[in-house]
Amino acid sequence: MSDVRHVLVLPDRDAAEEAAQALGERFGLDEEPRLIRDALAGEDDAEDAQWLVVVRDEEERLDPGELDEFAGEWEGWREEP
């Protein structure tokens, strides 16, 4: 088994939470995605942060293109490894 992870970059916490919930429903995930706040060094303002949704895909069954389109629904994108 590999340690493949997909990272979706989303503009705010609400979008990240909605996307994380919808990911499980749309793609039938076994494990809940992790949410991570990503801010530039020294930035404490939540408005300056991006939110990451990290999805484990050990069986490599998720299509990167579909995940990118999915993230785009929340004005986000899939980060290339």
Side-chain angles (χ1 to χ4, degrees):
M1 239 183 235
S2 66
D3 187 29
V4 174
R5 295 171 197 254
H6 300 282
V7 178
L8 307 182
V9 181
L10 298 160
D12 57 52
R13 183 180 187 149
D14 290 339
E17 288 175 344
E18 289 176 22
Q21 182 177 4
L23 266 169
E25 295 168 3
R26 186 176 303 180
F27 295 99
L29 302 178
D30 296 330
E31 184 178 319
E32 187 173 324
R34 290 183 52 209
L35 297 180
I36 300 170
R37 180 179 179 270
D38 182 36
L40 298 173
E43 294 291 337
D44 291 328
D45 188 354
E47 291 181 20
D48 293 331
Q50 293 176 324
W51 285 81
L52 308 179
V53 177
V54 180
V55 183
R56 290 178 59 187
D57 185 20
E58 294 174 347
E59 297 175 10
E60 298 184 48
R61 63 183 185 88
L62 300 175
D63 179 83
E66 287 181 31
L67 288 173
D68 196 35
E69 284 182 32
F70 175 84
E73 294 175 21
W74 283 271
E75 298 180 16
W77 65 90
R78 186 184 64 84
E79 191 72 22
E80 289 292 331

